[in-house]
C-alpha cells in the first residue's frame, strides 16, 4: 500500500544542497510533494536540469541553480536567485558532503583534511551566513550528518569526525538562531546510493551492515526524506538542537 504523503509545507521555500541524486534528491522530492517550492542545486548544470525536470513531472514547483558549496560566489548566487524568485527562504537542508579518501586519519594528506572540513562543515556555516538574513520566522535548518559521526572508524574515520562536528554545530546554531529558526540534524544509517557505493556495492559488506541493524535492512532515501520533512514541518515545532538518527537501530552514542 502506498503511503499517503501529507501536505505540511504549502507556501514554504526550501533550498537543499547536493540535491540532484541520492539522499539529497530524496529529500527535495519529499519537500516538494509536501507542497514546498524547492531549489535544486549541485555542481553540474546537466544534473540540476535533469533533477528539475523529474520534479516538475510530479507537479512540484522546482527551480535549479548550480552551486558548488565551497565556492563563495556560487553560495551567494544560490541565495540571491532564490530570494529574487520567491522573496524568502523557510527551509535549508545542508546535504553536501565529500569523502575524498579512505586513508586512516594519521596517514591522511593535509589537502584531504582541508577538503573534508571545507565541504562537510565550513561550507554549511558560510552558506547559512548568507541565508540567515532571509530566513522567515518559523524557519528550519537541517544538517545531514551520519551514523558514522557517533563512532567514526575504518574507511570513514575522518569523514565521520566531520559528521561529529555537525552534531555540535546543530546544538550551537540552535542556540544562536532560536527562537525564530529551528536547527536539527538527520543522521542516516547506511543507504545504498552512489555516494556509499564502496560500502553497499559489496554484498558481503552489505550483509554485515544489515546484520548490525535491528530491522535487518539498509535504509532508503525515502526513510531519510521522511525524517527531514518531519523536522522541516510544524509537526516538529517544539524540536530544536536535536539529531534524529535514522539507522534501523544501529548504536548511536558519542
Amino acid at each position: 500500500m502506498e503511503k499517503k504523503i501529507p501536505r505540511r509545507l504549502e507556501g514554504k521555500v526550501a533550498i537543499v544542497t547536493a540535491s540532484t541524486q541520492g539522499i539529497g534528491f530524496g529529500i527535495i522530492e519529499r519537500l516538494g510533494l509536501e507542497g514546498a517550492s524547492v531549489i535544486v542545486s549541485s555542481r553540474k548544470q546537466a544534473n540540476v536540469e535533469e533533477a528539475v525536470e523529474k520534479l516538475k513531472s510530479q507537479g512540484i514547483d522546482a527551480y535549479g541553480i548550480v552551486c558548488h558549496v565551497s565556492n563563495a560566489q556560487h553560495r551567494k548566487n544560490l541565495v540571491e536567485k532564490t530570494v529574487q524568485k520567491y522573496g524568502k527562504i523557510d527551509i535549508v537542508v545542508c546535504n553536501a558532503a565529500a569523502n575524498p579518501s579512505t586513508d586512516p586519519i594519521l596517514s591522511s594528506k593535509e589537502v584531504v583534511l582541508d577538503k573534508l572540513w571545507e565541504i562537510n562543515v565550513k561550507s554549511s556555516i558560510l552558506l547559512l551566513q548568507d541565508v540567515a538574513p532571509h530566513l522567515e520566522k518559523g524557519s528550519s535548518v537541517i544538517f545531514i550528518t551520519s551514523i558514522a559521526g557517533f563512532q567514526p572508524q575504518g574507511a570513514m574515520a575522518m569523514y565521520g569526525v566531520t559528521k561529529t562536528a555537525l552534531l555540535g554545530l546543530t546544538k550551537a546554531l540552535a542556540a544562536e538562531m532560536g527562537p525564530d529558526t529551528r536547527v536539527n540534524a538527520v543522521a542516516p544509517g547506511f543507504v545504498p546510493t552512489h555516494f556509499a557505493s564502496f560500502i553497499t556495492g559489496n554484498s558481503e559488506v552489505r550483509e554485515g551492515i544489515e546484520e548490525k541493524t535491528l530491522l535487518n535492512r539498509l535504509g532508503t532515501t525515502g526513510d531519510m526524506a521522511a525524517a527531514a520533512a518531519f523536522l522541516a514541518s510544524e509537526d516538529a515545532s517544539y524540536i530544536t538542537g536535536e539529531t534524529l538518527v535514522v539507522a534501523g537501530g544501529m548504536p548511536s552514542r558519542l
Side-chain angles (χ1 to χ4, degrees):
M1 199 177 103
E2 203 174 330
K3 288 196 204 109
K4 187 160 172 24
I5 290 179
R7 302 268 301 178
R8 296 177 289 194
L9 304 174
E10 303 272 3
K12 301 288 188 189
V13 177
I15 291 175
V16 183
T17 60
S19 51
T20 58
Q21 55 189 9
I23 290 172
F25 183 77
I27 290 172
I28 207 161
E29 179 181 48
R30 175 69 184 247
L31 299 181
L33 290 171
E34 291 218 16
S37 296
V38 296
I39 293 83
V40 181
S41 74
S42 76
R43 288 177 297 177
K44 298 192 176 92
Q45 180 75 41
N47 293 0
V48 170
E49 285 169 9
E50 187 187 347
V52 167
E53 285 314 306
K54 276 189 202 156
L55 295 168
K56 284 186 167 168
S57 73
Q58 299 181 70
I60 293 168
D61 176 23
Y63 182 56
I65 303 169
V66 170
C67 179
H68 192 326
V69 290
S70 63
N71 180 315
Q73 200 47 55
H74 281 205
R75 292 190 302 266
K76 284 195 167 41
N77 187 47
L78 176 65
V79 175
E80 280 168 13
K81 284 204 166 142
T82 300
V83 172
Q84 271 168 16
K85 187 164 172 64
Y86 295 105
K88 63 166 188 166
I89 300 167
D90 300 287
I91 299 162
V92 183
V93 181
C94 296
N95 172 61
N99 190 17
S101 162
T102 55
D103 291 337
I105 293 174
L106 298 182
S107 318
S108 294
K109 294 185 170 62
E110 190 171 353
V111 293
V112 168
L113 297 176
D114 287 345
K115 184 170 183 180
L116 277 162
W117 168 254
E118 185 175 16
I119 305 287
N120 298 0
V121 185
K122 186 174 83 168
S123 64
S124 291
I125 298 170
L126 294 173
L127 175 62
L128 290 173
Q129 287 179 355
D130 290 340
V131 166
H134 307 287
L135 286 173
E136 295 284 288
K137 191 170 170 47
S139 52
S140 174
V141 170
I142 300 167
F143 292 107
I144 306 305
T145 169
S146 171
I147 191 75
F150 291 93
Q151 206 173 359
Q153 56 190 345
M156 299 175 75
M158 196 60 218
Y159 166 84
V161 172
T162 63
K163 294 300 194 172
T164 313
L166 293 181
L167 305 177
L169 191 60
T170 299
K171 293 280 186 204
L173 286 179
E176 189 171 321
M177 298 177 81
D180 290 350
T181 300
R182 295 180 301 103
V183 183
N184 294 291
V186 174
F190 289 93
V191 180
T193 61
H194 174 67
F195 185 81
S197 57
F198 72 99
I199 299 165
T200 55
N202 174 327
S203 60
E204 261 176 57
V205 175
R206 188 185 172 125
E207 279 164 27
I209 292 167
E210 285 171 347
E211 281 165 19
K212 283 201 183 88
T213 71
L214 305 180
L215 302 180
N216 212 21
R217 69 174 178 88
L218 298 182
T220 66
T221 57
D223 293 328
M224 307 312 137
F230 163 66
L231 289 173
S233 78
E234 281 301 301
D235 284 346
S237 64
Y238 199 53
I239 301 176
T240 194
E242 300 298 341
T243 296
L244 182 50
V245 179
V246 188
M250 287 182 89
S252 57
R253 298 189 86 132
L254 277 179

